[in-house]
Amino acid sequence: MSTVTTPSVNGQVVALAHYATKAVLEQALAPAGLTYLQSLSLNFTSVQGGSATRESIAGRLRDALKIEEAAALAPVVELLEAGLLEAVDESVVRLTEQGRALQEETSGYGAAIAARVYAGFTPEELATAGRVLSIVTARANAELAGEER
């Protein structure tokens, strides 16, 4: 009988966990007609009081997900075309009634998924994992910015 060993945390383990949970979220969002980036954009706009600049939405996506500017702006354009966001002026967009309703409907999906996939871990285990991953993120961001550690 072979013994399965639990790997130590590394980039591959973190990536596999991230992509698996992201796929579950994308599956939950699909019936609502939203992509992951569109959902993040609606959530960010909602947290900003229902309106935000295109640049602030794109900047948030770009910085958090390490994606190019065009990819970060694309969900804003898609949400405008879908009538979930509307332009206030050249730089500011806001949630439409339909966009607000969809954001409210889908905003809890991530929390519900997290509750299921993190079930059974102690608060201490989750705190340790959070601390380690926060440090790894900060160090990687520092490297990307060309900072010395």
Side-chain angles (χ1 to χ4, degrees):
M1 177 179 241
S2 67
T3 304
V4 177
T5 58
T6 303
S8 184
V9 70
N10 61 40
Q12 182 179 17
V13 170
V14 171
L16 290 172
H18 164 73
Y19 286 115
T21 54
K22 181 176 175 255
V24 174
L25 178 58
E26 288 172 331
Q27 186 177 55
L29 291 169
L34 285 180
T35 66
Y36 179 67
L37 292 180
Q38 290 169 346
S39 174
L40 293 177
S41 299
L42 287 179
N43 287 339
F44 178 71
T45 304
S46 178
V47 169
Q48 297 303 304
S51 65
T53 65
R54 295 171 197 240
E55 178 52 40
S56 67
I57 298 168
R60 175 83 174 221
L61 295 176
R62 185 186 63 240
D63 294 346
L65 303 177
K66 312 304 184 237
I67 59 177
E68 296 295 322
E69 186 74 18
L73 283 169
V76 176
V77 172
E78 295 161 359
L79 292 167
L80 285 162
E81 290 171 353
L84 299 172
L85 290 177
E86 63 186 358
V88 173
D89 58 34
E90 285 296 311
S91 64
V92 177
V93 296
R94 70 175 162 225
L95 293 170
T96 63
E97 282 302 314
Q98 181 185 4
R100 184 177 310 282
L102 190 57
Q103 187 279 328
E104 288 173 2
E105 175 189 332
T106 60
S107 67
Y109 291 4
I113 291 165
R116 292 191 305 272
V117 300
Y118 295 123
F121 294 105
T122 67
E124 294 79 16
E125 289 171 322
L126 294 173
T128 298
R131 181 179 58 78
V132 169
L133 293 174
S134 293
I135 292 167
V136 169
T137 301
R139 289 177 180 173
N141 283 335
E143 286 206 21
L144 286 170
E147 298 171 8
E148 294 292 322
R149 292 188 305 144

